[in-house]
Each structure stands twice: as C-alpha cells, then as structure tokens.
Amino acid sequence: MSGAGWERAEPIRLLRDVYGDDVELIDEQGKSVEHRILAEFKCGGTAYAVLQSDRLRKEKEVAIYKVTERPDGEPELATIEDDDEWEMVSELYDEMAFPVRDRP
C-alpha cells in the first residue's frame, strides 16, 4: 500500500464498547489468554481489530482479525484467510501506528 492508504481507515469502537480495552481469547491449548485491543478500524466496509497478548508483545508481534457480527449483535473475531487482505490490513495498521514524519 502506498501513500496515504491509512487515511482510508475509519476508527471504530466495536470491541471496546462491549469488552473495554482487553478481550480474552481461547488459544490452541484451550487456555484463556488476555489480549489488549490496540486498534479497531473499518476499511472498505470491513471492520478489523489489532490485538496483542503479553507473549505477542514480547515478540513485538500483533494479531489481526476481521470483526464480524453474530446474529445476536455481539462482535465476533474471524481469522483473515486471504493473504492479500491480511497484508493490506497489516500494512494499513503499520501506517497508522508508525506514521511517516515527512508525509505531506
């Protein structure tokens, strides 16, 4: 993504409005792991969330999910299956979180 792609992102508060600043997810071993909500935004009509557990923070990594809505209206996280979509959202988050100082 080049240029001002980050400007296409609209900040939202789907997860924070329901769960606050942290959300608990179940890991591969079935354990509950707390994740900090770093960012939520909508781009191209799709909502995304960037989360980070203590382990991910130590590794300087984040987890990025698509935010969908369950039939009862509660937000639900979905894995981003498409590599191109994941790359686009990852780059968009990087641009938002680490802005280039010399942007016009």
CSV table of all heavy atoms in Angstrom, one decimal, residues 31-81:
chain,number,residue,atom,x,y,z
A,31,LYS,N,-6.7,-22.6,26.5
A,31,LYS,CA,-6.5,-21.7,27.7
A,31,LYS,C,-7.0,-20.3,27.3
A,31,LYS,O,-6.8,-19.8,26.2
A,31,LYS,CB,-5.0,-21.6,28.1
A,31,LYS,CG,-4.5,-22.9,28.6
A,31,LYS,CD,-3.0,-22.7,29.0
A,31,LYS,CE,-2.5,-24.1,29.6
A,31,LYS,NZ,-1.1,-24.0,29.9
A,32,SER,N,-7.5,-19.6,28.3
A,32,SER,CA,-7.9,-18.2,28.1
A,32,SER,C,-6.7,-17.3,28.2
A,32,SER,O,-5.9,-17.4,29.1
A,32,SER,CB,-8.9,-17.8,29.2
A,32,SER,OG,-9.3,-16.5,29.1
A,33,VAL,N,-6.6,-16.4,27.1
A,33,VAL,CA,-5.4,-15.5,27.1
A,33,VAL,C,-5.9,-14.1,26.9
A,33,VAL,O,-6.7,-13.8,25.9
A,33,VAL,CB,-4.5,-15.9,25.9
A,33,VAL,CG1,-3.3,-14.9,25.8
A,33,VAL,CG2,-4.0,-17.3,26.1
A,34,GLU,N,-5.5,-13.2,27.7
A,34,GLU,CA,-6.0,-11.8,27.6
A,34,GLU,C,-5.2,-11.1,26.5
A,34,GLU,O,-4.0,-11.2,26.4
A,34,GLU,CB,-5.7,-11.1,29.0
A,34,GLU,CG,-6.3,-9.7,29.0
A,34,GLU,CD,-6.3,-9.1,30.4
A,34,GLU,OE1,-7.0,-9.6,31.3
A,34,GLU,OE2,-5.5,-8.1,30.6
A,35,HIS,N,-5.9,-10.3,25.7
A,35,HIS,CA,-5.3,-9.5,24.7
A,35,HIS,C,-5.7,-8.1,24.8
A,35,HIS,O,-6.9,-7.8,25.1
A,35,HIS,CB,-5.8,-10.0,23.3
A,35,HIS,CG,-5.2,-11.3,22.9
A,35,HIS,ND1,-5.6,-12.5,23.4
A,35,HIS,CD2,-4.3,-11.6,21.9
A,35,HIS,CE1,-4.9,-13.5,22.8
A,35,HIS,NE2,-4.1,-13.0,21.9
A,36,ARG,N,-4.8,-7.2,24.7
A,36,ARG,CA,-5.0,-5.7,24.7
A,36,ARG,C,-5.5,-5.4,23.3
A,36,ARG,O,-5.0,-5.8,22.3
A,36,ARG,CB,-3.8,-5.0,25.0
A,36,ARG,CG,-3.8,-3.5,24.8
A,36,ARG,CD,-4.5,-2.7,25.8
A,36,ARG,NE,-4.0,-3.0,27.2
A,36,ARG,CZ,-4.6,-2.4,28.2
A,36,ARG,NH1,-5.5,-1.5,28.0
A,36,ARG,NH2,-4.3,-2.7,29.4
A,37,ILE,N,-6.6,-4.6,23.2
A,37,ILE,CA,-7.1,-4.1,21.9
A,37,ILE,C,-6.2,-2.8,21.6
A,37,ILE,O,-6.3,-1.8,22.2
A,37,ILE,CB,-8.6,-3.7,22.0
A,37,ILE,CG1,-9.4,-4.9,22.4
A,37,ILE,CG2,-9.0,-3.1,20.7
A,37,ILE,CD1,-10.8,-4.6,22.8
A,38,LEU,N,-5.4,-3.0,20.5
A,38,LEU,CA,-4.5,-1.9,20.1
A,38,LEU,C,-5.2,-0.9,19.2
A,38,LEU,O,-4.9,0.3,19.2
A,38,LEU,CB,-3.2,-2.4,19.5
A,38,LEU,CG,-2.4,-3.3,20.3
A,38,LEU,CD1,-1.1,-3.8,19.5
A,38,LEU,CD2,-1.9,-2.6,21.6
A,39,ALA,N,-6.0,-1.5,18.3
A,39,ALA,CA,-6.7,-0.6,17.3
A,39,ALA,C,-7.9,-1.3,16.8
A,39,ALA,O,-7.9,-2.6,16.7
A,39,ALA,CB,-5.7,-0.3,16.1
A,40,GLU,N,-8.9,-0.5,16.4
A,40,GLU,CA,-10.1,-1.0,15.7
A,40,GLU,C,-10.3,0.0,14.6
A,40,GLU,O,-10.3,1.2,14.8
A,40,GLU,CB,-11.3,-1.1,16.6
A,40,GLU,CG,-11.2,-2.1,17.7
A,40,GLU,CD,-12.5,-2.0,18.5
A,40,GLU,OE1,-13.5,-2.6,18.1
A,40,GLU,OE2,-12.4,-1.4,19.6
A,41,PHE,N,-10.6,-0.5,13.4
A,41,PHE,CA,-10.9,0.4,12.3
A,41,PHE,C,-11.6,-0.3,11.2
A,41,PHE,O,-11.7,-1.5,11.1
A,41,PHE,CB,-9.6,1.0,11.7
A,41,PHE,CG,-8.6,0.0,11.2
A,41,PHE,CD1,-8.5,-0.5,9.9
A,41,PHE,CD2,-7.6,-0.5,12.1
A,41,PHE,CE1,-7.6,-1.4,9.5
A,41,PHE,CE2,-6.7,-1.5,11.7
A,41,PHE,CZ,-6.7,-1.9,10.4
A,42,LYS,N,-12.3,0.5,10.4
A,42,LYS,CA,-13.1,0.0,9.3
A,42,LYS,C,-12.4,0.5,8.0
A,42,LYS,O,-12.0,1.6,7.9
A,42,LYS,CB,-14.5,0.5,9.3
A,42,LYS,CG,-15.4,-0.2,8.3
A,42,LYS,CD,-16.8,0.3,8.5
A,42,LYS,CE,-17.5,-0.5,9.6
A,42,LYS,NZ,-18.9,-0.3,9.7
A,43,CYS,N,-12.2,-0.4,7.0
A,43,CYS,CA,-11.7,-0.1,5.7
A,43,CYS,C,-12.4,-0.8,4.7
A,43,CYS,O,-12.6,-2.1,4.8
A,43,CYS,CB,-10.2,-0.4,5.7
A,43,CYS,SG,-9.4,0.1,4.2
A,44,GLY,N,-12.9,-0.1,3.7
A,44,GLY,CA,-13.6,-0.8,2.6
A,44,GLY,C,-14.9,-1.5,3.1
A,44,GLY,O,-15.2,-2.5,2.5
A,45,GLY,N,-15.5,-1.0,4.1
A,45,GLY,CA,-16.7,-1.6,4.6
A,45,GLY,C,-16.5,-2.8,5.5
A,45,GLY,O,-17.5,-3.3,6.1
A,46,THR,N,-15.3,-3.2,5.8
A,46,THR,CA,-15.0,-4.3,6.7
A,46,THR,C,-14.3,-3.8,7.9
A,46,THR,O,-13.4,-2.9,7.9
A,46,THR,CB,-14.1,-5.3,6.0
A,46,THR,OG1,-14.7,-5.7,4.8
A,46,THR,CG2,-13.8,-6.5,6.8
A,47,ALA,N,-14.7,-4.3,9.1
A,47,ALA,CA,-14.1,-3.9,10.4
A,47,ALA,C,-12.9,-4.9,10.7
A,47,ALA,O,-13.0,-6.1,10.5
A,47,ALA,CB,-15.2,-4.0,11.5
A,48,TYR,N,-11.9,-4.3,11.3
A,48,TYR,CA,-10.7,-5.1,11.7
A,48,TYR,C,-10.3,-4.7,13.1
A,48,TYR,O,-10.6,-3.6,13.6
A,48,TYR,CB,-9.5,-4.8,10.8
A,48,TYR,CG,-9.8,-5.2,9.4
A,48,TYR,CD1,-10.2,-4.2,8.4
A,48,TYR,CD2,-9.7,-6.5,9.0
A,48,TYR,CE1,-10.5,-4.6,7.1
A,48,TYR,CE2,-9.9,-6.9,7.6
A,48,TYR,CZ,-10.3,-5.9,6.7
A,48,TYR,OH,-10.6,-6.3,5.4
A,49,ALA,N,-9.7,-5.6,13.8
A,49,ALA,CA,-9.1,-5.3,15.2
A,49,ALA,C,-7.7,-5.8,15.2
A,49,ALA,O,-7.4,-6.9,14.7
A,49,ALA,CB,-10.0,-6.0,16.2
A,50,VAL,N,-6.9,-5.1,15.9
A,50,VAL,CA,-5.5,-5.4,16.1
A,50,VAL,C,-5.3,-5.7,17.6
A,50,VAL,O,-5.6,-4.8,18.4
A,50,VAL,CB,-4.5,-4.3,15.6
A,50,VAL,CG1,-3.1,-4.7,15.9
A,50,VAL,CG2,-4.8,-4.0,14.2
A,51,LEU,N,-4.9,-6.9,18.0
A,51,LEU,CA,-4.8,-7.3,19.4
A,51,LEU,C,-3.4,-7.8,19.7
A,51,LEU,O,-2.6,-8.2,18.8
A,51,LEU,CB,-5.8,-8.5,19.6
A,51,LEU,CG,-7.2,-8.3,19.2
A,51,LEU,CD1,-8.0,-9.6,19.5
A,51,LEU,CD2,-7.9,-7.1,19.9
A,52,GLN,N,-3.1,-7.7,21.0
A,52,GLN,CA,-1.7,-8.1,21.4
A,52,GLN,C,-1.8,-8.7,22.8
A,52,GLN,O,-2.2,-8.1,23.7
A,52,GLN,CB,-0.8,-6.9,21.4
A,52,GLN,CG,0.7,-7.3,21.5
A,52,GLN,CD,1.6,-6.1,21.4
A,52,GLN,OE1,1.4,-5.1,22.1
A,52,GLN,NE2,2.5,-6.2,20.5
A,53,SER,N,-1.3,-10.0,22.9
A,53,SER,CA,-1.2,-10.6,24.2
A,53,SER,C,0.2,-10.3,24.8
A,53,SER,O,1.0,-9.7,24.1
A,53,SER,CB,-1.3,-12.1,24.1
A,53,SER,OG,-0.2,-12.6,23.3
A,54,ASP,N,0.5,-10.6,26.0
A,54,ASP,CA,1.8,-10.4,26.6
A,54,ASP,C,2.9,-11.1,25.8
A,54,ASP,O,3.9,-10.6,25.5
A,54,ASP,CB,1.8,-10.9,28.1
A,54,ASP,CG,1.1,-9.9,29.0
A,54,ASP,OD1,0.9,-8.8,28.6
A,54,ASP,OD2,0.8,-10.4,30.1
A,55,ARG,N,2.6,-12.4,25.4
A,55,ARG,CA,3.5,-13.1,24.6
A,55,ARG,C,3.8,-12.4,23.3
A,55,ARG,O,5.0,-12.3,22.9
A,55,ARG,CB,3.0,-14.6,24.3
A,55,ARG,CG,4.0,-15.4,23.5
A,55,ARG,CD,3.5,-16.8,23.2
A,55,ARG,NE,2.3,-16.7,22.3
A,55,ARG,CZ,2.3,-16.5,21.0
A,55,ARG,NH1,3.4,-16.3,20.4
A,55,ARG,NH2,1.1,-16.5,20.4
A,56,LEU,N,2.8,-12.0,22.6
A,56,LEU,CA,3.0,-11.3,21.3
A,56,LEU,C,3.7,-10.0,21.5
A,56,LEU,O,4.6,-9.6,20.7
A,56,LEU,CB,1.6,-11.0,20.6
A,56,LEU,CG,0.9,-12.2,20.1
A,56,LEU,CD1,-0.5,-11.8,19.6
A,56,LEU,CD2,1.7,-12.8,18.9
A,57,ARG,N,3.5,-9.3,22.6
A,57,ARG,CA,4.2,-8.0,22.9
A,57,ARG,C,5.7,-8.3,23.1
A,57,ARG,O,6.5,-7.6,22.5
A,57,ARG,CB,3.6,-7.4,24.2
A,57,ARG,CG,4.2,-6.0,24.5
A,57,ARG,CD,3.6,-5.3,25.7
A,57,ARG,NE,3.5,-6.2,26.8
A,57,ARG,CZ,4.4,-6.6,27.7
A,57,ARG,NH1,5.7,-6.2,27.5
A,57,ARG,NH2,4.2,-7.3,28.7
A,58,LYS,N,6.0,-9.3,23.8
A,58,LYS,CA,7.4,-9.7,23.9
A,58,LYS,C,8.1,-10.0,22.6
A,58,LYS,O,9.3,-9.8,22.4
A,58,LYS,CB,7.6,-10.9,24.9
A,58,LYS,CG,7.3,-10.5,26.3
A,58,LYS,CD,7.3,-11.7,27.2
A,58,LYS,CE,6.8,-11.3,28.6
A,58,LYS,NZ,6.5,-12.5,29.5
A,59,GLU,N,7.3,-10.6,21.7
A,59,GLU,CA,7.9,-10.9,20.4
A,59,GLU,C,7.7,-9.8,19.4
A,59,GLU,O,8.1,-9.9,18.2
A,59,GLU,CB,7.1,-12.2,19.8
A,59,GLU,CG,7.3,-13.4,20.7
A,59,GLU,CD,6.5,-14.6,20.2
A,59,GLU,OE1,5.7,-14.4,19.2
A,59,GLU,OE2,6.5,-15.6,20.9
A,60,LYS,N,7.2,-8.6,19.8
A,60,LYS,CA,6.9,-7.5,19.0
A,60,LYS,C,6.0,-7.8,17.8
A,60,LYS,O,6.3,-7.4,16.7
A,60,LYS,CB,8.2,-6.8,18.6
A,60,LYS,CG,9.0,-6.3,19.7
A,60,LYS,CD,10.3,-5.6,19.4
A,60,LYS,CE,10.9,-5.1,20.7
A,60,LYS,NZ,12.2,-4.6,20.5
A,61,GLU,N,5.0,-8.6,18.1
A,61,GLU,CA,4.0,-9.0,17.1
A,61,GLU,C,2.6,-8.6,17.5
A,61,GLU,O,2.4,-8.3,18.6
A,61,GLU,CB,4.1,-10.6,16.9
A,61,GLU,CG,5.4,-11.1,16.4
A,61,GLU,CD,5.7,-10.8,15.0
A,61,GLU,OE1,4.7,-10.6,14.2
A,61,GLU,OE2,6.8,-10.8,14.6
A,62,VAL,N,1.7,-8.7,16.5
A,62,VAL,CA,0.3,-8.4,16.8
A,62,VAL,C,-0.5,-9.5,16.1
A,62,VAL,O,-0.1,-10.2,15.2
A,62,VAL,CB,-0.1,-7.0,16.3
A,62,VAL,CG1,0.6,-5.9,17.1
A,62,VAL,CG2,0.0,-6.9,14.8
A,63,ALA,N,-1.8,-9.6,16.6
A,63,ALA,CA,-2.7,-10.5,15.9
A,63,ALA,C,-3.8,-9.6,15.3
A,63,ALA,O,-4.3,-8.6,15.9
A,63,ALA,CB,-3.4,-11.4,16.9
A,64,ILE,N,-4.1,-9.8,14.0
A,64,ILE,CA,-5.1,-9.0,13.3
A,64,ILE,C,-6.3,-9.9,12.9
A,64,ILE,O,-6.1,-11.0,12.4
A,64,ILE,CB,-4.4,-8.4,12.0
A,64,ILE,CG1,-3.2,-7.5,12.4
A,64,ILE,CG2,-5.5,-7.6,11.3
A,64,ILE,CD1,-2.4,-7.0,11.3
A,65,TYR,N,-7.5,-9.4,13.2
A,65,TYR,CA,-8.7,-10.2,13.0
A,65,TYR,C,-9.7,-9.3,12.2
A,65,TYR,O,-9.7,-8.1,12.3
A,65,TYR,CB,-9.4,-10.6,14.3
A,65,TYR,CG,-8.5,-11.6,15.0
A,65,TYR,CD1,-7.7,-11.2,16.1
A,65,TYR,CD2,-8.6,-13.0,14.8
A,65,TYR,CE1,-7.0,-12.1,16.8
A,65,TYR,CE2,-7.9,-13.9,15.5
A,65,TYR,CZ,-7.0,-13.4,16.5
A,65,TYR,OH,-6.3,-14.3,17.2
A,66,LYS,N,-10.6,-10.0,11.5
A,66,LYS,CA,-11.7,-9.3,10.9
A,66,LYS,C,-12.8,-9.4,12.0
A,66,LYS,O,-12.9,-10.4,12.7
A,66,LYS,CB,-12.2,-10.1,9.7
A,66,LYS,CG,-13.2,-9.5,8.8
A,66,LYS,CD,-13.6,-10.3,7.7
A,66,LYS,CE,-12.4,-10.6,6.7
A,66,LYS,NZ,-12.9,-11.2,5.5
A,67,VAL,N,-13.5,-8.3,12.2
A,67,VAL,CA,-14.6,-8.2,13.2
A,67,VAL,C,-15.9,-8.4,12.4
A,67,VAL,O,-16.3,-7.6,11.6
A,67,VAL,CB,-14.6,-6.9,14.0
A,67,VAL,CG1,-15.7,-6.9,15.0
A,67,VAL,CG2,-13.2,-6.7,14.6
A,68,THR,N,-16.7,-9.4,12.8
A,68,THR,CA,-18.0,-9.6,12.2
A,68,THR,C,-19.0,-9.5,13.3
A,68,THR,O,-18.7,-9.3,14.5
A,68,THR,CB,-18.1,-11.0,11.5
A,68,THR,OG1,-17.8,-12.0,12.5
A,68,THR,CG2,-17.0,-11.2,10.4
A,69,GLU,N,-20.3,-9.7,13.0
A,69,GLU,CA,-21.3,-9.5,14.0
A,69,GLU,C,-22.1,-10.8,14.0
A,69,GLU,O,-22.6,-11.4,13.0
A,69,GLU,CB,-22.2,-8.4,13.6
A,69,GLU,CG,-23.2,-8.0,14.7
A,69,GLU,CD,-24.0,-6.8,14.3
A,69,GLU,OE1,-23.4,-5.7,14.3
A,69,GLU,OE2,-25.2,-6.9,14.0
A,70,ARG,N,-22.3,-11.4,15.2
A,70,ARG,CA,-23.1,-12.6,15.4
A,70,ARG,C,-24.6,-12.2,15.2
A,70,ARG,O,-24.9,-11.0,15.3
A,70,ARG,CB,-22.9,-13.2,16.8
A,70,ARG,CG,-21.4,-13.7,17.0
A,70,ARG,CD,-21.3,-14.5,18.3
A,70,ARG,NE,-21.9,-13.9,19.4
A,70,ARG,CZ,-21.4,-13.9,20.6
A,70,ARG,NH1,-20.3,-14.4,20.9
A,70,ARG,NH2,-22.1,-13.3,21.6
A,71,PRO,N,-25.4,-13.2,15.1
A,71,PRO,CA,-26.9,-12.9,14.9
A,71,PRO,C,-27.4,-12.1,16.1
A,71,PRO,O,-28.4,-11.4,15.9
A,71,PRO,CB,-27.5,-14.3,14.8
A,71,PRO,CG,-26.4,-15.1,14.3
A,71,PRO,CD,-25.1,-14.6,14.8
A,72,ASP,N,-26.9,-12.3,17.3
A,72,ASP,CA,-27.4,-11.6,18.5
A,72,ASP,C,-26.8,-10.2,18.6
A,72,ASP,O,-27.1,-9.4,19.5
A,72,ASP,CB,-27.1,-12.4,19.8
A,72,ASP,CG,-25.6,-12.5,20.1
A,72,ASP,OD1,-24.7,-11.9,19.3
A,72,ASP,OD2,-25.3,-13.2,21.0
A,73,GLY,N,-26.0,-9.7,17.6
A,73,GLY,CA,-25.5,-8.4,17.6
A,73,GLY,C,-24.1,-8.2,18.2
A,73,GLY,O,-23.5,-7.2,18.1
A,74,GLU,N,-23.6,-9.3,18.9
A,74,GLU,CA,-22.3,-9.2,19.5
A,74,GLU,C,-21.2,-9.3,18.5
A,74,GLU,O,-21.3,-10.0,17.5
A,74,GLU,CB,-22.1,-10.3,20.5
A,74,GLU,CG,-23.0,-10.2,21.8
A,74,GLU,CD,-22.6,-9.1,22.7
A,74,GLU,OE1,-21.4,-9.0,23.0
A,74,GLU,OE2,-23.4,-8.4,23.1
A,75,PRO,N,-20.1,-8.5,18.7
A,75,PRO,CA,-19.0,-8.6,17.8
A,75,PRO,C,-18.3,-10.0,17.9
A,75,PRO,O,-18.3,-10.6,19.0
A,75,PRO,CB,-18.1,-7.5,18.2
A,75,PRO,CG,-18.4,-7.1,19.6
A,75,PRO,CD,-19.9,-7.5,19.7
A,76,GLU,N,-17.8,-10.5,16.8
A,76,GLU,CA,-17.1,-11.7,16.8
A,76,GLU,C,-15.8,-11.6,15.9
A,76,GLU,O,-15.8,-10.9,14.9
A,76,GLU,CB,-18.0,-12.8,16.2
A,76,GLU,CG,-17.5,-14.2,16.2
A,76,GLU,CD,-18.5,-15.2,15.7
A,76,GLU,OE1,-19.0,-15.0,14.6
A,76,GLU,OE2,-18.8,-16.1,16.5
A,77,LEU,N,-14.7,-12.2,16.4
A,77,LEU,CA,-13.5,-12.2,15.6
A,77,LEU,C,-13.4,-13.3,14.7
A,77,LEU,O,-13.7,-14.5,15.0
A,77,LEU,CB,-12.3,-12.2,16.6
A,77,LEU,CG,-12.2,-11.0,17.6
A,77,LEU,CD1,-11.1,-11.2,18.5
A,77,LEU,CD2,-12.1,-9.7,16.8
A,78,ALA,N,-12.9,-13.0,13.5
A,78,ALA,CA,-12.7,-14.1,12.4
A,78,ALA,C,-11.3,-13.9,11.9
A,78,ALA,O,-10.8,-12.8,11.7
A,78,ALA,CB,-13.8,-13.9,11.3
A,79,THR,N,-10.7,-15.1,11.6
A,79,THR,CA,-9.4,-15.1,11.0
A,79,THR,C,-9.5,-14.6,9.6
A,79,THR,O,-10.4,-14.8,8.9
A,79,THR,CB,-8.8,-16.5,11.0
A,79,THR,OG1,-8.8,-17.0,12.3
A,79,THR,CG2,-7.4,-16.6,10.4
A,80,ILE,N,-8.5,-13.8,9.2
A,80,ILE,CA,-8.4,-13.3,7.9
A,80,ILE,C,-7.7,-14.4,7.0
A,80,ILE,O,-6.5,-14.7,7.2
A,80,ILE,CB,-7.6,-12.0,7.8
A,80,ILE,CG1,-8.3,-10.9,8.6
A,80,ILE,CG2,-7.4,-11.5,6.3
A,80,ILE,CD1,-7.5,-9.6,8.8
A,81,GLU,N,-8.5,-15.0,6.2
A,81,GLU,CA,-8.0,-16.2,5.4
A,81,GLU,C,-7.2,-15.8,4.2
A,81,GLU,O,-6.3,-16.5,3.7
A,81,GLU,CB,-9.1,-17.1,5.0
A,81,GLU,CG,-9.9,-17.6,6.2
A,81,GLU,CD,-9.2,-18.6,7.0
A,81,GLU,OE1,-8.2,-19.2,6.5
A,81,GLU,OE2,-9.5,-18.8,8.2
